[in-house]
Amino acid sequence: MDLYIDTANLDEIKQAADMGVLDGVTTNPSLIAKEGVDYSTRLAEICKVVEGCATGAPGPVSAEVIATDYEGMIKEGRRHATIAGNIVVKLPCTLDGLKACKTFSDENVPTNLTLCFQPLQALMVAKAGAFLVSPFIGRLDDIAQDGMELIAGIRQIYDNFGLPTKILAASIRHPLHFVQCALAGADVATVPFKVIRQVMQHPLTESGLEKFVADYNKAFGT
Ligand code: E4P
């Protein structure tokens, strides 16, 4: 499973890249707004950081359009796509988004169809040629629906019909979501930096390490 980081914070992206685990980046308008920076400038900076990430190739960077109408999405998406070769145009799972997805896929511009909340949206965007689909797990859990069922349903539909669109599990809030996505066969998980750090923390690793060091120091007095 590929691992993307879900942030527009450059320092977090650099830290994850230095760990050698990063395959790509997702952003969204809320994450950009949180950073308070110029959108295009930040996208260019992010693309540079992931030029040679874990895969050795430039990692995909999802750049979401703000426009909600077809023409606006095409205009903005084309502008994003000129920033770098690893930009993936992120479009919403709406009728206009679907049409824009088809236009971009005819132009060989990769797309990520976001805000996917039910399996038929994923089927439709795959038919329109999406490179990635982003089912949002946490936001379904927030309204008492099992987000993980969505991942499993899309996995089954894509496998039934050999659809090549990659499932990018999004809205991951904690390590349990992350491991369940891997078990359910998501192709990619996009994860906040906090969760990347959390998965490497285990009390037995910490206590085991402390004991190794203490035993060695006791024996050799260092
Ligand atoms: C995905 O691309 C989104 O940016 C993200 O995963 C949304 O997560 P949230 O529901 O925690 O805001």
Side-chain angles (χ1 to χ4, degrees), residues 6 26-28 31 90 114 134 136 139 170-173 190:
D6 194 32
T26 52
T27 59
N28 66 39
L31 293 171
K90 200 172 176 190
T114 190
S134 292
F136 276 39
R139 292 192 196 189
S171 189
I172 289 179
R173 304 274 172 78
T190 191

Side-chain angles (χ1 to χ4, degrees), residues 83-105:
I83 293 173
N86 46 337
I87 286 282
V88 173
V89 177
K90 200 172 176 190
L91 304 161
C93 278
T94 59
L95 288 174
D96 281 39
L98 194 61
K99 195 173 152 195
C101 173
K102 163 83 174 116
T103 300
F104 282 122
S105 89

